């Protein structure tokens, strides 16, 4: 599978450092408000990359951070009030209550959109120690300096590759900062905080070798990605707005600390716009998952809507397009119900569709191609209905559209079937194909269609009525 790497600006083959095992880090939510569909489109990207890699037989380990210590609206001033603290004051909740409330909310919204949970969700507030350690390492290696109020800044001029991700040069950055108020203690206006001294009234603060304070925003992702995935890992994802400064600074921190590249491929999700405007709280056009539900739309329809645009392109959200996507997913589910499954193998035409599906995924996760392929498959007379069913049921491991919902409605495998399926998956895991075939025959004799999917054995009645 090839993905577009934002750093080299080229397609790169995913070749995991540990063969067969892909380690991936995704920048997660800042939990002081609800995630909007623009945020969730970025989170869906890691889910789709993971599902596509699993379809190709890779194991994928996924870490997503939870930013539960607010980052400053103005990096240069210690007095600026951060967003987390504003939310606490607005809602009358303690810091951990705010974080808890919105962490639960964002995970539930992600569930509703079929975004599978990461293996780990490390919280910034639980990794202050690691961030302090990393900051100390950067000071020792000459990449950071302490100023008299107890803040620590990264010295951007000390890191040769600064700007390589975003294309920002230090001169351009100096120019860009000219009209902004900046801490006069900084050596270069683009120097960013690794640790900030706690100003008066600051609720979330921790002791450090430089006095009470709190971490800068970027350091958490360096500290937590390397803690859980090591000093070299395969894929790092995030929204395109994180390229600068967040990911540029993460590269400077991580590579500055370990002395070599850490991430093999940087993947960024494009912006979501609404009727031409960026979706943001400041423009007042925020759409939440609950807004979809209130309009009677299936949140999974938003997946289909997203599939129509290449993940790294800007995408426009309109309610008409959302409604059409919702209708299309429901229609596909109805079609699935009419396509009677059978136990036969795929014919040559269906095999061709399967090959094209894999090719589209491997080509930088080209989901617009998959949408076209599904529309084509839906109508073609070359593939019999039962084979269409088998293809779409298997592809749904990547698509996550719950395409079998109608066909399977009102039917659940019995306890006996479930234990046979589990037994068969275990036999397959141990490459005991004789047992796995025997169990398949048992299930078939019970009147079931048996399908092998990346998630193991699936069954459905051969006569769904
Ligand atoms: Zn991050």
């Amino acid at each position: 599978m090839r993905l577009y790497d934002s750093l080299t600006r080229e397609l790169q083959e995913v070749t995991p450092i540990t063969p067969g095992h892909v380690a991936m880090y995704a920048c997660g939510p800042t939990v002081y408000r609800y995630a909007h569909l623009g945020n969730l489109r970025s989170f869906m990207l890691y889910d789709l990359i993971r599902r596509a890699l699993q379809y190709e037989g890779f194991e994928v380990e996924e870490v997503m951070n939870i930013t539960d210590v607010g980052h400053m609206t103005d990096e240069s001033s210690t007095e600026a009030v951060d967003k987390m603290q504003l939310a606490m004051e607005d809602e009358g909740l303690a810091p951990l209550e705010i974080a808890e409330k919105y962490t639960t909310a964002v995970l539930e919204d992600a569930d509703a959109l079929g975004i599978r949970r990461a293996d780990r969700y490390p919280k910034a507030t639980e990794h202050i120690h690691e961030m302090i350690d990393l900051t100390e390492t950067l000071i020792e290696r000459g990449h950071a300096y302490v100023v008299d109020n107890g803040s620590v800044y990264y010295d951007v001029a000390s890191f040769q590759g600064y700007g390589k991700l975003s294309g920002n040069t230090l001169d351009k950055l100096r120019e860009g900062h000219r009209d902004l108020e900046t801490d006069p203690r900084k050596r270069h206006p683009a120097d960013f905080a690794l640790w900030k001294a706690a100003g008066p009234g600051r609720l979330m603060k921790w002791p450090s070798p430089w006095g009470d304070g709190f971490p800068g925003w970027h350091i958490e992702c360096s500290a937590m990605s390397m803690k859980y995935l090591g000093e070299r890992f395969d894929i790092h994802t995030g929204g395109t707005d994180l390229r600068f400064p967040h990911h540029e600074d993460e590269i400077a921190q991580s590579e500055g600390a370990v002395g070599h590249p850490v991430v093999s491929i940087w993947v960024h999700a494009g912006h979501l716009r609404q009727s031409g405007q960026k979706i943001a709280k400041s423009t007042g056009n925020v759409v939440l998952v609950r807004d979809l539900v209130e309009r009677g739309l299936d949140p999974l329809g938003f997946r289909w809507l997203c599939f129509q645009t290449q993940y790294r392109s800007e995408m426009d959200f309109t309610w008409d397009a959302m409604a059409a996507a919702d209708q299309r997913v429901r229609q596909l589910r109805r079609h699935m119900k009419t396509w009677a499954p059978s136990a036969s193998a795929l014919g040559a035409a269906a095999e061709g569709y399967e090959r094209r599906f894999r090719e589209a995924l491997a080509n930088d996760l080209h989901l617009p191609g998959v949408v076209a392929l599904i529309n084509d498959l839906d109508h073609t007379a070359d593939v019999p209905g039962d084979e269409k069913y088998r293809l779409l049921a298997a592809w749904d491991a990547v698509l996550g559209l719950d395409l079998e919902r109608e066909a399977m409605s009102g039917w659940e495998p019995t306890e006996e079937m479930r234990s046979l399926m589990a037994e068969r998956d275990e036999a397959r895991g141990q490459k005991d194909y004789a047992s796995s075939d025997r169990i398949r025959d048992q299930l078939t004799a019970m009147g079931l269609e048996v399908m092998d999917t990346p998630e193991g054995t699936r069954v459905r009645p051969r006569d769904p009525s």
Side-chain angles (χ1 to χ4, degrees):
M1 180 174 177
R2 301 198 309 162
L3 289 170
Y4 181 81
D5 174 29
S6 305
L7 184 60
T8 55
R9 296 167 179 79
E10 281 175 351
L11 292 177
Q12 301 282 359
E13 185 73 34
V14 179
T15 37
I17 292 158
T18 306
H21 179 100
V22 177
M24 181 155 76
Y25 184 87
C27 280
T30 304
V31 285
Y32 62 90
R33 61 171 183 198
Y34 292 108
H36 57 65
L37 291 186
N39 306 133
L40 289 159
R41 183 189 182 208
S42 299
F43 301 155
M44 196 185 294
L45 173 61
Y46 84 72
D47 173 59
L48 290 165
I49 292 174
R50 179 173 48 177
R51 286 169 177 264
L53 287 167
Q54 286 171 335
Y55 197 77
E56 285 303 312
F58 289 101
E59 266 178 50
V60 183
E61 179 182 5
E62 167 73 35
V63 174
M64 179 185 253
N65 67 303
I66 302 283
T67 301
D68 59 350
V69 46
H71 49 275
M72 313 298 286
T73 43
D74 174 1
E75 271 284 331
S76 59
S77 159
T78 43
E79 272 69 54
V81 181
D82 82 46
K83 294 171 181 173
M84 195 90 182
Q85 189 146 344
L86 279 179
M88 293 167 213
E89 285 160 10
D90 278 0
E91 302 195 32
L93 295 173
L96 289 179
E97 291 172 325
I98 290 276
E100 180 81 29
K101 173 181 170 181
Y102 290 107
T103 302
T104 305
V106 74
L107 292 179
E108 284 174 0
D109 285 346
D111 289 346
L113 291 179
I115 297 171
R116 293 212 185 116
R117 297 224 173 169
D119 298 297
R120 265 177 203 280
Y121 292 98
K123 293 177 183 166
T125 52
E126 291 171 3
H127 295 78
I128 302 294
H129 184 70
E130 286 83 348
M131 294 187 234
I132 290 174
D133 279 356
L134 193 56
T135 302
E136 286 191 300
T137 304
L138 288 167
I139 294 170
E140 281 160 27
R141 293 182 63 113
H143 287 301
Y145 57 96
V146 187
V147 299
D148 57 17
N149 74 341
S151 290
V152 183
Y153 285 110
Y154 192 98
D155 180 1
V156 292
S158 75
F159 183 69
Q160 270 244 309
Y162 195 78
K164 63 184 173 182
L165 181 68
S166 60
N168 284 319
T169 61
L170 290 184
D171 286 347
K172 258 200 274 180
L173 288 170
R174 187 184 295 279
E175 194 58 29
H177 278 80
R178 239 179 27 176
D179 300 329
L180 299 173
E181 201 186 315
T182 166
D183 186 339
R185 289 166 290 213
K186 289 207 254 179
R187 292 178 189 168
H188 187 288
D191 288 354
F192 56 91
L194 299 172
W195 186 261
K196 303 209 64 135
R202 175 83 202 177
L203 291 177
M204 296 178 90
K205 58 183 177 185
W206 293 266
S208 84
W210 319 286
D212 280 3
F214 57 99
W217 170 33
H218 316 302
I219 192 75
E220 69 177 79
C221 286
S222 287
M224 297 194 285
S225 65
M226 292 197 288
K227 172 170 181 174
Y228 292 107
L229 299 174
E231 287 184 7
R232 292 181 196 270
F233 61 91
D234 304 301
I235 299 174
H236 195 312
T237 70
T240 188
D241 51 333
L242 297 182
R243 277 169 61 143
F244 189 85
H246 185 53
H247 290 161
E248 190 73 69
D249 292 351
E250 186 180 329
I251 290 173
Q253 293 164 164
S254 301
E255 297 190 8
V258 300
H260 58 71
V262 173
V263 173
S264 301
I265 305 181
W266 284 91
V267 189
H268 289 102
H271 270 306
L272 185 68
R273 303 178 80 84
Q274 188 176 0
S275 308
Q277 274 193 309
K278 184 183 166 187
I279 293 197
K281 208 175 174 192
S282 53
T283 43
N285 61 351
V286 164
V287 183
L288 307 178
V289 168
R290 64 179 59 182
D291 299 324
L292 302 180
V293 176
E294 267 169 28
R295 291 182 185 227
L297 299 166
D298 184 338
L300 296 182
F302 181 64
R303 293 179 76 88
W304 183 261
L305 183 66
C306 289
F307 296 169
Q308 295 170 44
T309 305
Q310 177 64 336
Y311 71 82
R312 56 193 163 93
S313 302
E314 199 169 272
M315 165 182 161
D316 200 39
F317 177 92
T318 66
W319 284 106
D320 284 349
M322 179 60 219
D326 169 83
Q327 284 305 312
R328 180 60 175 143
V329 171
R330 290 174 198 268
Q331 183 187 47
L332 283 169
R333 289 180 188 145
R334 286 196 301 275
H335 290 179
M336 290 286 275
K337 194 180 168 91
T338 66
W339 293 327
S342 77
S344 63
L346 293 180
E351 290 286 4
Y353 278 92
E354 174 67 20
R355 198 189 60 246
R356 283 157 66 193
F357 177 71
R358 288 177 187 271
E359 281 168 0
L361 294 184
N363 175 25
D364 197 22
L365 196 67
H366 199 270
L367 292 165
V370 169
V371 167
L373 188 67
I374 291 174
N375 291 339
D376 188 37
L377 175 67
D378 189 12
H379 296 113
T380 185
D382 297 347
V383 178
D386 60 322
E387 294 180 28
K388 291 182 183 183
Y389 187 101
R390 291 167 67 102
L391 287 173
L392 284 175
W395 296 356
D396 207 31
V398 179
L399 306 170
L401 298 170
D402 198 11
L403 290 176
E404 291 186 275
R405 187 186 291 176
E406 290 275 318
M408 300 285 265
S409 75
W411 187 85
E412 286 283 327
T414 63
E415 210 41 59
E416 185 190 4
M417 293 170 189
R418 276 185 211 283
S419 76
L420 283 170
M421 286 154 68
E423 216 179 299
R424 179 163 185 267
D425 288 339
E426 181 148 345
R428 282 167 66 84
Q430 291 164 358
K431 304 201 187 310
D432 175 3
Y433 297 114
S435 301
S436 119
D437 288 351
R438 178 179 50 76
I439 300 167
R440 187 196 55 216
D441 293 345
Q442 263 175 284
L443 287 164
T444 308
M446 294 163 89
L448 299 172
E449 157 88 2
V450 181
M451 290 170 287
D452 295 324
T453 75
E455 288 145 339
T457 304
R458 298 277 307 271
V459 297
R460 58 161 289 182
R462 232 170 299 146
D463 175 9
S465 56

